[in-house]
Amino acid sequence: MRLPENPVMFLATFAGTGNAKKAPGTMGTLAGIPFCALLLLLPLQVQMVVVMTAVLLGIMVCDKAAEELGEKDPSCVVLDEVLGLAVTLMFFPLSFFTVILGFFLFRFFDIVKPWPVNFFDERIPGGAGIVLDDVAAGLCAHLVLAVLFYVF
């Protein structure tokens, strides 16, 4: 896999992982696990600031990448998946179980796109729509993960 030379595409494809021939969203999410694991080592308030800042920057990067590629939501753009996984895992303790379960829950909500995820996917244009549907999927996965942590 070749690394993108364009800085916007480098970020949007998460260092080229979005250029995977099969399941680029899943590959991008997998590539985001180390970033998310490091995030969980930070204090809770710092996690929130980092994720919120990354989401705002991600909207701009994904908007520019979609514009450059001339597509509404290019499959190679996977920064949004990394941000969605970060939202899923934010505030939870770092463990193999948390990361794996969070990964699968996030991918489920990102692929199935139930309400409210589909609202952002279908009705919000540009980088905001690209990123916010994954943030919504991450919030749904986060809530399910929180319930599971509470119950077990």
Side-chain angles (χ1 to χ4, degrees):
M1 173 174 16
R2 213 171 62 104
L3 289 177
E5 293 175 16
N6 175 335
V8 168
M9 294 309 294
F10 182 83
L11 291 171
T13 63
F14 205 67
T17 58
N19 294 324
K21 295 206 186 307
K22 293 190 182 201
T26 299
M27 298 309 283
T29 307
L30 283 169
I33 288 175
F35 166 78
C36 294
L38 289 173
L39 178 72
L40 296 181
L41 299 174
L42 300 172
L44 300 179
Q45 297 88 345
V46 177
Q47 287 182 38
M48 184 176 285
V49 170
V50 168
V51 170
M52 288 172 50
T53 303
V55 165
L56 292 174
L57 293 173
I59 288 171
M60 292 186 282
V61 167
C62 291
D63 190 60
K64 183 72 173 153
E67 183 182 304
E68 285 183 20
L69 294 168
E71 297 178 38
K72 180 183 181 271
D73 189 355
S75 61
C76 67
V77 172
V78 295
L79 178 59
D80 53 327
E81 269 79 16
V82 176
L83 297 172
L85 182 63
V87 169
T88 299
L89 298 175
M90 191 169 54
F91 307 142
F92 286 106
L94 177 58
S95 73
F96 180 78
F97 175 77
T98 303
V99 171
I100 295 302
L101 188 54
F103 170 84
F104 282 108
L105 286 169
F106 170 70
R107 289 307 296 149
F108 170 79
F109 284 107
D110 188 35
I111 292 166
V112 174
K113 296 196 186 310
W115 185 90
V117 179
N118 63 4
F119 172 83
F120 294 100
D121 184 53
E122 295 168 2
R123 295 203 174 97
I124 308 296
I130 292 170
V131 173
L132 293 179
D133 78 308
D134 289 88
V135 168
L139 287 171
C140 292
H142 184 93
L143 290 173
V144 172
L145 199 55
V147 168
L148 292 173
F149 263 78
Y150 179 77
V151 171
F152 296 106

